[in-house]
Amino acid sequence: MSALFREQLLAAAGQAAFPVERTLDPATGEEVFDAASEATLAQVFSLFGITALTPQDEDVDKVINTACTLATEVAAHVQGLIAAGGALDMLEEAGDWHPAYRAYISALWQGERDEVARCAQELKLSAGIPNGSLPLEAGPLA
């Protein structure tokens, strides 16, 4: 499961690495994500343990910031761990990471969804990452 989970995680992250554009809904005149973008965002949030934020959230900046942070920074750390064969101590930069973030990256690498969700909650990521947040490596969000 872990290899399949990592493959899905990195594929979804690759799709969400660039901010998605919102378009005008012809029926309501409101800006919305298209169906494909919404599906990608929902998948990224699910895989990374983001349980209290949806692509339809009113705080669009938080939705985009969360997706971009997960798809670039966090996914890069997971890729580094994959390259290190799962040995967190082999990642030079990991020595400076907060223990909760180390646990989160390790859970993502292992592909244990319950543990990913628990670690995301410990980092206070469940509701997304607001703009201006400190790097996740520093520990739980304020």
mmCIF file of all heavy atoms in Angstrom, residues 82-130:
data_model
loop_
_atom_site.group_PDB
_atom_site.id
_atom_site.type_symbol
_atom_site.label_atom_id
_atom_site.label_comp_id
_atom_site.label_asym_id
_atom_site.label_seq_id
_atom_site.Cartn_x
_atom_site.Cartn_y
_atom_site.Cartn_z
ATOM 1 N N ILE A 82 11.770 9.328 -0.002
ATOM 2 C CA ILE A 82 11.737 8.183 -0.914
ATOM 3 C C ILE A 82 13.147 7.898 -1.428
ATOM 4 O O ILE A 82 13.603 6.754 -1.436
ATOM 5 C CB ILE A 82 10.761 8.430 -2.085
ATOM 6 C CG1 ILE A 82 9.319 8.458 -1.574
ATOM 7 C CG2 ILE A 82 10.931 7.377 -3.185
ATOM 8 C CD1 ILE A 82 8.309 8.966 -2.588
ATOM 9 N N ALA A 83 13.849 8.960 -1.846
ATOM 10 C CA ALA A 83 15.220 8.797 -2.353
ATOM 11 C C ALA A 83 16.157 8.260 -1.275
ATOM 12 O O ALA A 83 17.122 7.555 -1.584
ATOM 13 C CB ALA A 83 15.729 10.136 -2.886
ATOM 14 N N ALA A 84 15.849 8.577 -0.009
ATOM 15 C CA ALA A 84 16.687 8.108 1.105
ATOM 16 C C ALA A 84 16.247 6.729 1.596
ATOM 17 O O ALA A 84 16.741 6.255 2.627
ATOM 18 C CB ALA A 84 16.624 9.116 2.252
ATOM 19 N N GLY A 85 15.346 6.099 0.864
ATOM 20 C CA GLY A 85 14.892 4.770 1.238
ATOM 21 C C GLY A 85 14.091 4.743 2.533
ATOM 22 O O GLY A 85 14.035 3.723 3.208
ATOM 23 N N GLY A 86 13.509 5.873 2.891
ATOM 24 C CA GLY A 86 12.688 5.940 4.093
ATOM 25 C C GLY A 86 13.455 6.256 5.359
ATOM 26 O O GLY A 86 12.884 6.318 6.434
ATOM 27 N N ALA A 87 14.764 6.471 5.232
ATOM 28 C CA ALA A 87 15.596 6.769 6.402
ATOM 29 C C ALA A 87 15.615 8.282 6.639
ATOM 30 O O ALA A 87 16.390 9.012 6.019
ATOM 31 C CB ALA A 87 17.005 6.236 6.203
ATOM 32 N N LEU A 88 14.752 8.741 7.541
ATOM 33 C CA LEU A 88 14.618 10.171 7.814
ATOM 34 C C LEU A 88 15.948 10.795 8.243
ATOM 35 O O LEU A 88 16.257 11.930 7.894
ATOM 36 C CB LEU A 88 13.558 10.387 8.891
ATOM 37 C CG LEU A 88 12.889 11.737 8.999
ATOM 38 C CD1 LEU A 88 12.324 12.201 7.659
ATOM 39 C CD2 LEU A 88 11.793 11.720 10.036
ATOM 40 N N ASP A 89 16.754 10.028 8.952
ATOM 41 C CA ASP A 89 18.046 10.545 9.415
ATOM 42 C C ASP A 89 19.029 10.781 8.268
ATOM 43 O O ASP A 89 20.028 11.477 8.450
ATOM 44 C CB ASP A 89 18.666 9.592 10.437
ATOM 45 C CG ASP A 89 17.839 9.527 11.716
ATOM 46 O OD1 ASP A 89 17.112 10.492 12.003
ATOM 47 O OD2 ASP A 89 17.924 8.498 12.414
ATOM 48 N N MET A 90 18.748 10.219 7.109
ATOM 49 C CA MET A 90 19.623 10.413 5.948
ATOM 50 C C MET A 90 19.356 11.757 5.256
ATOM 51 O O MET A 90 20.159 12.202 4.450
ATOM 52 C CB MET A 90 19.421 9.280 4.932
ATOM 53 C CG MET A 90 19.819 7.913 5.449
ATOM 54 S SD MET A 90 21.572 7.785 5.872
ATOM 55 C CE MET A 90 22.290 7.828 4.243
ATOM 56 N N LEU A 91 18.236 12.404 5.589
ATOM 57 C CA LEU A 91 17.928 13.702 5.003
ATOM 58 C C LEU A 91 18.588 14.783 5.850
ATOM 59 O O LEU A 91 18.217 14.993 7.004
ATOM 60 C CB LEU A 91 16.418 13.942 4.954
ATOM 61 C CG LEU A 91 15.617 13.055 4.021
ATOM 62 C CD1 LEU A 91 14.141 13.413 4.102
ATOM 63 C CD2 LEU A 91 16.104 13.197 2.597
ATOM 64 N N GLU A 92 19.551 15.462 5.267
ATOM 65 C CA GLU A 92 20.317 16.459 6.004
ATOM 66 C C GLU A 92 19.423 17.525 6.631
ATOM 67 O O GLU A 92 19.574 17.879 7.795
ATOM 68 C CB GLU A 92 21.332 17.102 5.055
ATOM 69 C CG GLU A 92 22.408 17.881 5.747
ATOM 70 C CD GLU A 92 23.477 18.330 4.779
ATOM 71 O OE1 GLU A 92 23.997 17.493 4.030
ATOM 72 O OE2 GLU A 92 23.779 19.530 4.793
ATOM 73 N N GLU A 93 18.457 18.028 5.860
ATOM 74 C CA GLU A 93 17.604 19.107 6.355
ATOM 75 C C GLU A 93 16.629 18.647 7.436
ATOM 76 O O GLU A 93 16.129 19.452 8.217
ATOM 77 C CB GLU A 93 16.834 19.778 5.209
ATOM 78 C CG GLU A 93 15.779 18.919 4.553
ATOM 79 C CD GLU A 93 16.245 18.094 3.365
ATOM 80 O OE1 GLU A 93 17.462 17.879 3.201
ATOM 81 O OE2 GLU A 93 15.401 17.638 2.605
ATOM 82 N N ALA A 94 16.364 17.345 7.527
ATOM 83 C CA ALA A 94 15.376 16.830 8.479
ATOM 84 C C ALA A 94 15.804 17.032 9.926
ATOM 85 O O ALA A 94 14.956 17.069 10.818
ATOM 86 C CB ALA A 94 15.092 15.357 8.210
ATOM 87 N N GLY A 95 17.090 17.195 10.175
ATOM 88 C CA GLY A 95 17.569 17.410 11.536
ATOM 89 C C GLY A 95 17.027 18.674 12.163
ATOM 90 O O GLY A 95 16.914 18.765 13.386
ATOM 91 N N ASP A 96 16.670 19.650 11.343
ATOM 92 C CA ASP A 96 16.143 20.920 11.849
ATOM 93 C C ASP A 96 14.614 20.937 11.916
ATOM 94 O O ASP A 96 14.037 21.926 12.357
ATOM 95 C CB ASP A 96 16.611 22.080 10.952
ATOM 96 C CG ASP A 96 18.118 22.266 10.999
ATOM 97 O OD1 ASP A 96 18.727 21.968 12.043
ATOM 98 O OD2 ASP A 96 18.677 22.700 9.983
ATOM 99 N N TRP A 97 13.947 19.890 11.484
ATOM 100 C CA TRP A 97 12.498 19.864 11.456
ATOM 101 C C TRP A 97 11.934 19.615 12.853
ATOM 102 O O TRP A 97 12.495 18.862 13.645
ATOM 103 C CB TRP A 97 11.980 18.773 10.540
ATOM 104 C CG TRP A 97 12.296 18.950 9.094
ATOM 105 C CD1 TRP A 97 12.786 20.062 8.475
ATOM 106 C CD2 TRP A 97 12.143 17.969 8.061
ATOM 107 N NE1 TRP A 97 12.938 19.831 7.130
ATOM 108 C CE2 TRP A 97 12.555 18.561 6.850
ATOM 109 C CE3 TRP A 97 11.699 16.658 8.057
ATOM 110 C CZ2 TRP A 97 12.522 17.871 5.643
ATOM 111 C CZ3 TRP A 97 11.670 15.968 6.855
ATOM 112 C CH2 TRP A 97 12.075 16.576 5.657
ATOM 113 N N HIS A 98 10.788 20.201 13.109
ATOM 114 C CA HIS A 98 10.047 19.956 14.346
ATOM 115 C C HIS A 98 9.663 18.470 14.373
ATOM 116 O O HIS A 98 9.342 17.892 13.326
ATOM 117 C CB HIS A 98 8.802 20.847 14.355
ATOM 118 C CG HIS A 98 8.054 20.815 15.631
ATOM 119 N ND1 HIS A 98 7.177 19.802 15.945
ATOM 120 C CD2 HIS A 98 8.057 21.669 16.685
ATOM 121 C CE1 HIS A 98 6.657 20.034 17.133
ATOM 122 N NE2 HIS A 98 7.171 21.173 17.611
ATOM 123 N N PRO A 99 9.676 17.836 15.551
ATOM 124 C CA PRO A 99 9.310 16.404 15.615
ATOM 125 C C PRO A 99 7.936 16.083 15.023
ATOM 126 O O PRO A 99 7.764 15.031 14.405
ATOM 127 C CB PRO A 99 9.336 16.105 17.117
ATOM 128 C CG PRO A 99 10.287 17.112 17.683
ATOM 129 C CD PRO A 99 10.128 18.349 16.839
ATOM 130 N N ALA A 100 6.970 16.986 15.164
ATOM 131 C CA ALA A 100 5.636 16.731 14.599
ATOM 132 C C ALA A 100 5.684 16.719 13.076
ATOM 133 O O ALA A 100 4.980 15.933 12.432
ATOM 134 C CB ALA A 100 4.629 17.778 15.093
ATOM 135 N N TYR A 101 6.525 17.570 12.480
ATOM 136 C CA TYR A 101 6.642 17.585 11.020
ATOM 137 C C TYR A 101 7.395 16.344 10.546
ATOM 138 O O TYR A 101 7.031 15.745 9.534
ATOM 139 C CB TYR A 101 7.347 18.862 10.545
ATOM 140 C CG TYR A 101 7.371 18.995 9.036
ATOM 141 C CD1 TYR A 101 6.198 19.242 8.333
ATOM 142 C CD2 TYR A 101 8.551 18.856 8.314
ATOM 143 C CE1 TYR A 101 6.205 19.350 6.940
ATOM 144 C CE2 TYR A 101 8.567 18.964 6.932
ATOM 145 C CZ TYR A 101 7.389 19.207 6.258
ATOM 146 O OH TYR A 101 7.397 19.303 4.882
ATOM 147 N N ARG A 102 8.406 15.947 11.295
ATOM 148 C CA ARG A 102 9.132 14.706 10.959
ATOM 149 C C ARG A 102 8.160 13.524 10.943
ATOM 150 O O ARG A 102 8.191 12.688 10.044
ATOM 151 C CB ARG A 102 10.277 14.461 11.938
ATOM 152 C CG ARG A 102 11.431 15.424 11.805
ATOM 153 C CD ARG A 102 12.458 15.249 12.939
ATOM 154 N NE ARG A 102 13.013 13.917 12.973
ATOM 155 C CZ ARG A 102 14.197 13.568 12.459
ATOM 156 N NH1 ARG A 102 14.944 14.474 11.861
ATOM 157 N NH2 ARG A 102 14.626 12.338 12.550
ATOM 158 N N ALA A 103 7.289 13.473 11.945
ATOM 159 C CA ALA A 103 6.310 12.384 12.033
ATOM 160 C C ALA A 103 5.342 12.436 10.844
ATOM 161 O O ALA A 103 4.972 11.396 10.298
ATOM 162 C CB ALA A 103 5.548 12.464 13.354
ATOM 163 N N TYR A 104 4.949 13.651 10.449
ATOM 164 C CA TYR A 104 4.027 13.826 9.322
ATOM 165 C C TYR A 104 4.654 13.332 8.023
ATOM 166 O O TYR A 104 4.036 12.559 7.276
ATOM 167 C CB TYR A 104 3.641 15.305 9.226
ATOM 168 C CG TYR A 104 2.675 15.672 8.124
ATOM 169 C CD1 TYR A 104 1.410 15.097 8.038
ATOM 170 C CD2 TYR A 104 3.006 16.640 7.186
ATOM 171 C CE1 TYR A 104 0.511 15.467 7.039
ATOM 172 C CE2 TYR A 104 2.110 17.019 6.184
ATOM 173 C CZ TYR A 104 0.876 16.422 6.118
ATOM 174 O OH TYR A 104 -0.010 16.792 5.134
ATOM 175 N N ILE A 105 5.878 13.730 7.751
ATOM 176 C CA ILE A 105 6.570 13.296 6.535
ATOM 177 C C ILE A 105 6.753 11.784 6.546
ATOM 178 O O ILE A 105 6.551 11.106 5.531
ATOM 179 C CB ILE A 105 7.920 14.035 6.372
ATOM 180 C CG1 ILE A 105 7.696 15.539 6.178
ATOM 181 C CG2 ILE A 105 8.747 13.449 5.228
ATOM 182 C CD1 ILE A 105 6.892 15.896 4.943
ATOM 183 N N SER A 106 7.103 11.248 7.686
ATOM 184 C CA SER A 106 7.271 9.802 7.812
ATOM 185 C C SER A 106 5.945 9.077 7.562
ATOM 186 O O SER A 106 5.909 8.056 6.860
ATOM 187 C CB SER A 106 7.812 9.468 9.206
ATOM 188 O OG SER A 106 8.018 8.087 9.330
ATOM 189 N N ALA A 107 4.852 9.607 8.100
ATOM 190 C CA ALA A 107 3.533 8.995 7.890
ATOM 191 C C ALA A 107 3.143 9.042 6.414
ATOM 192 O O ALA A 107 2.583 8.076 5.882
ATOM 193 C CB ALA A 107 2.481 9.701 8.746
ATOM 194 N N LEU A 108 3.426 10.170 5.753
ATOM 195 C CA LEU A 108 3.151 10.264 4.314
ATOM 196 C C LEU A 108 3.970 9.231 3.549
ATOM 197 O O LEU A 108 3.468 8.593 2.623
ATOM 198 C CB LEU A 108 3.442 11.676 3.807
ATOM 199 C CG LEU A 108 2.453 12.758 4.249
ATOM 200 C CD1 LEU A 108 3.021 14.148 3.970
ATOM 201 C CD2 LEU A 108 1.112 12.571 3.558
ATOM 202 N N TRP A 109 5.215 9.059 3.924
ATOM 203 C CA TRP A 109 6.078 8.076 3.257
ATOM 204 C C TRP A 109 5.534 6.661 3.467
ATOM 205 O O TRP A 109 5.512 5.853 2.542
ATOM 206 C CB TRP A 109 7.510 8.180 3.774
ATOM 207 C CG TRP A 109 8.412 7.204 3.102
ATOM 208 C CD1 TRP A 109 8.992 7.333 1.877
ATOM 209 C CD2 TRP A 109 8.811 5.917 3.603
ATOM 210 N NE1 TRP A 109 9.730 6.203 1.590
ATOM 211 C CE2 TRP A 109 9.632 5.329 2.625
ATOM 212 C CE3 TRP A 109 8.558 5.222 4.769
ATOM 213 C CZ2 TRP A 109 10.209 4.087 2.799
ATOM 214 C CZ3 TRP A 109 9.125 3.969 4.939
ATOM 215 C CH2 TRP A 109 9.938 3.426 3.956
ATOM 216 N N GLN A 110 5.069 6.379 4.689
ATOM 217 C CA GLN A 110 4.551 5.042 5.003
ATOM 218 C C GLN A 110 3.197 4.782 4.365
ATOM 219 O O GLN A 110 2.821 3.635 4.156
ATOM 220 C CB GLN A 110 4.459 4.863 6.517
ATOM 221 C CG GLN A 110 5.807 4.822 7.186
ATOM 222 C CD GLN A 110 5.692 4.897 8.704
ATOM 223 O OE1 GLN A 110 4.607 4.766 9.259
ATOM 224 N NE2 GLN A 110 6.802 5.123 9.357
ATOM 225 N N GLY A 111 2.441 5.851 4.086
ATOM 226 C CA GLY A 111 1.152 5.697 3.436
ATOM 227 C C GLY A 111 0.038 5.243 4.348
ATOM 228 O O GLY A 111 -0.966 4.708 3.883
ATOM 229 N N GLU A 112 0.203 5.466 5.639
ATOM 230 C CA GLU A 112 -0.834 5.091 6.600
ATOM 231 C C GLU A 112 -1.783 6.270 6.779
ATOM 232 O O GLU A 112 -1.470 7.228 7.482
ATOM 233 C CB GLU A 112 -0.201 4.691 7.949
ATOM 234 C CG GLU A 112 0.669 3.463 7.861
ATOM 235 C CD GLU A 112 -0.123 2.206 7.526
ATOM 236 O OE1 GLU A 112 -1.321 2.124 7.900
ATOM 237 O OE2 GLU A 112 0.440 1.317 6.875
ATOM 238 N N ARG A 113 -2.945 6.196 6.133
ATOM 239 C CA ARG A 113 -3.874 7.327 6.116
ATOM 240 C C ARG A 113 -4.289 7.792 7.517
ATOM 241 O O ARG A 113 -4.397 8.986 7.757
ATOM 242 C CB ARG A 113 -5.105 7.001 5.292
ATOM 243 C CG ARG A 113 -4.840 7.028 3.803
ATOM 244 C CD ARG A 113 -6.149 6.773 3.056
ATOM 245 N NE ARG A 113 -5.943 6.848 1.635
ATOM 246 C CZ ARG A 113 -6.225 7.936 0.911
ATOM 247 N NH1 ARG A 113 -6.698 9.005 1.473
ATOM 248 N NH2 ARG A 113 -6.015 7.934 -0.385
ATOM 249 N N ASP A 114 -4.538 6.856 8.433
ATOM 250 C CA ASP A 114 -4.929 7.252 9.788
ATOM 251 C C ASP A 114 -3.807 8.029 10.470
ATOM 252 O O ASP A 114 -4.056 9.009 11.161
ATOM 253 C CB ASP A 114 -5.306 6.032 10.636
ATOM 254 C CG ASP A 114 -6.605 5.380 10.189
ATOM 255 O OD1 ASP A 114 -7.390 6.036 9.458
ATOM 256 O OD2 ASP A 114 -6.851 4.225 10.575
ATOM 257 N N GLU A 115 -2.594 7.581 10.266
ATOM 258 C CA GLU A 115 -1.440 8.264 10.869
ATOM 259 C C GLU A 115 -1.199 9.615 10.196
ATOM 260 O O GLU A 115 -0.831 10.590 10.851
ATOM 261 C CB GLU A 115 -0.194 7.368 10.790
ATOM 262 C CG GLU A 115 1.009 7.915 11.512
ATOM 263 C CD GLU A 115 0.850 8.025 13.028
ATOM 264 O OE1 GLU A 115 -0.138 7.544 13.597
ATOM 265 O OE2 GLU A 115 1.744 8.630 13.646
ATOM 266 N N VAL A 116 -1.397 9.679 8.892
ATOM 267 C CA VAL A 116 -1.274 10.956 8.179
ATOM 268 C C VAL A 116 -2.273 11.953 8.760
ATOM 269 O O VAL A 116 -1.918 13.094 9.074
ATOM 270 C CB VAL A 116 -1.497 10.781 6.658
ATOM 271 C CG1 VAL A 116 -1.637 12.136 5.964
ATOM 272 C CG2 VAL A 116 -0.364 9.982 6.034
ATOM 273 N N ALA A 117 -3.507 11.522 8.928
ATOM 274 C CA ALA A 117 -4.540 12.411 9.477
ATOM 275 C C ALA A 117 -4.206 12.834 10.901
ATOM 276 O O ALA A 117 -4.378 13.997 11.271
ATOM 277 C CB ALA A 117 -5.903 11.722 9.425
ATOM 278 N N ARG A 118 -3.711 11.902 11.710
ATOM 279 C CA ARG A 118 -3.345 12.227 13.095
ATOM 280 C C ARG A 118 -2.209 13.239 13.131
ATOM 281 O O ARG A 118 -2.256 14.229 13.860
ATOM 282 C CB ARG A 118 -2.938 10.966 13.858
ATOM 283 C CG ARG A 118 -2.725 11.219 15.362
ATOM 284 C CD ARG A 118 -1.984 10.083 16.038
ATOM 285 N NE ARG A 118 -0.610 9.953 15.590
ATOM 286 C CZ ARG A 118 0.379 10.777 15.933
ATOM 287 N NH1 ARG A 118 0.148 11.832 16.674
ATOM 288 N NH2 ARG A 118 1.603 10.575 15.489
ATOM 289 N N CYS A 119 -1.204 13.032 12.297
ATOM 290 C CA CYS A 119 -0.065 13.953 12.251
ATOM 291 C C CYS A 119 -0.481 15.322 11.712
ATOM 292 O O CYS A 119 -0.008 16.357 12.205
ATOM 293 C CB CYS A 119 1.063 13.365 11.406
ATOM 294 S SG CYS A 119 1.876 11.951 12.177
ATOM 295 N N ALA A 120 -1.353 15.336 10.715
ATOM 296 C CA ALA A 120 -1.847 16.606 10.175
ATOM 297 C C ALA A 120 -2.597 17.369 11.258
ATOM 298 O O ALA A 120 -2.459 18.590 11.387
ATOM 299 C CB ALA A 120 -2.746 16.364 8.963
ATOM 300 N N GLN A 121 -3.365 16.641 12.044
ATOM 301 C CA GLN A 121 -4.098 17.283 13.132
ATOM 302 C C GLN A 121 -3.132 17.819 14.185
ATOM 303 O O GLN A 121 -3.316 18.912 14.704
ATOM 304 C CB GLN A 121 -5.080 16.295 13.752
ATOM 305 C CG GLN A 121 -6.050 16.921 14.708
ATOM 306 C CD GLN A 121 -7.178 15.959 15.060
ATOM 307 O OE1 GLN A 121 -7.070 14.752 14.877
ATOM 308 N NE2 GLN A 121 -8.262 16.507 15.572
ATOM 309 N N GLU A 122 -2.087 17.072 14.482
ATOM 310 C CA GLU A 122 -1.085 17.520 15.462
ATOM 311 C C GLU A 122 -0.390 18.794 14.979
ATOM 312 O O GLU A 122 -0.051 19.667 15.780
ATOM 313 C CB GLU A 122 -0.060 16.412 15.704
ATOM 314 C CG GLU A 122 0.903 16.725 16.829
ATOM 315 C CD GLU A 122 1.819 15.566 17.150
ATOM 316 O OE1 GLU A 122 1.398 14.392 17.039
ATOM 317 O OE2 GLU A 122 2.973 15.837 17.517
ATOM 318 N N LEU A 123 -0.193 18.902 13.667
ATOM 319 C CA LEU A 123 0.416 20.115 13.094
ATOM 320 C C LEU A 123 -0.607 21.234 12.893
ATOM 321 O O LEU A 123 -0.248 22.319 12.431
ATOM 322 C CB LEU A 123 1.075 19.788 11.748
ATOM 323 C CG LEU A 123 2.423 19.104 11.806
ATOM 324 C CD1 LEU A 123 2.834 18.602 10.425
ATOM 325 C CD2 LEU A 123 3.478 20.033 12.369
ATOM 326 N N LYS A 124 -1.858 20.954 13.216
ATOM 327 C CA LYS A 124 -2.962 21.898 13.043
ATOM 328 C C LYS A 124 -3.170 22.270 11.575
ATOM 329 O O LYS A 124 -3.464 23.401 11.224
ATOM 330 C CB LYS A 124 -2.764 23.143 13.910
ATOM 331 C CG LYS A 124 -2.678 22.816 15.391
ATOM 332 C CD LYS A 124 -2.504 24.052 16.227
ATOM 333 C CE LYS A 124 -2.412 23.632 17.693
ATOM 334 N NZ LYS A 124 -2.087 24.737 18.554
ATOM 335 N N LEU A 125 -3.004 21.252 10.722
ATOM 336 C CA LEU A 125 -3.171 21.422 9.276
ATOM 337 C C LEU A 125 -4.569 21.072 8.792
ATOM 338 O O LEU A 125 -4.908 21.375 7.646
ATOM 339 C CB LEU A 125 -2.218 20.480 8.513
ATOM 340 C CG LEU A 125 -0.743 20.690 8.609
ATOM 341 C CD1 LEU A 125 -0.037 19.633 7.782
ATOM 342 C CD2 LEU A 125 -0.375 22.057 8.125
ATOM 343 N N SER A 126 -5.357 20.426 9.620
ATOM 344 C CA SER A 126 -6.641 19.879 9.173
ATOM 345 C C SER A 126 -7.532 20.898 8.482
ATOM 346 O O SER A 126 -8.273 20.567 7.568
ATOM 347 C CB SER A 126 -7.394 19.264 10.351
ATOM 348 O OG SER A 126 -6.619 18.222 10.909
ATOM 349 N N ALA A 127 -7.450 22.155 8.911
ATOM 350 C CA ALA A 127 -8.297 23.204 8.327
ATOM 351 C C ALA A 127 -7.550 24.024 7.284
ATOM 352 O O ALA A 127 -8.021 25.066 6.852
ATOM 353 C CB ALA A 127 -8.838 24.114 9.421
ATOM 354 N N GLY A 128 -6.381 23.559 6.856
ATOM 355 C CA GLY A 128 -5.629 24.255 5.826
ATOM 356 C C GLY A 128 -4.523 25.138 6.377
ATOM 357 O O GLY A 128 -4.336 25.248 7.589
ATOM 358 N N ILE A 129 -3.798 25.753 5.449
ATOM 359 C CA ILE A 129 -2.631 26.574 5.780
ATOM 360 C C ILE A 129 -2.910 28.013 5.351
ATOM 361 O O ILE A 129 -2.891 28.321 4.157
ATOM 362 C CB ILE A 129 -1.373 26.037 5.058
ATOM 363 C CG1 ILE A 129 -1.166 24.555 5.383
ATOM 364 C CG2 ILE A 129 -0.146 26.869 5.438
ATOM 365 C CD1 ILE A 129 -0.152 23.862 4.493
ATOM 366 N N PRO A 130 -3.160 28.896 6.323
ATOM 367 C CA PRO A 130 -3.420 30.290 5.960
ATOM 368 C C PRO A 130 -2.181 30.960 5.367
ATOM 369 O O PRO A 130 -1.043 30.570 5.677
ATOM 370 C CB PRO A 130 -3.787 30.952 7.297
ATOM 371 C CG PRO A 130 -4.034 29.843 8.251
ATOM 372 C CD PRO A 130 -3.278 28.653 7.741
#
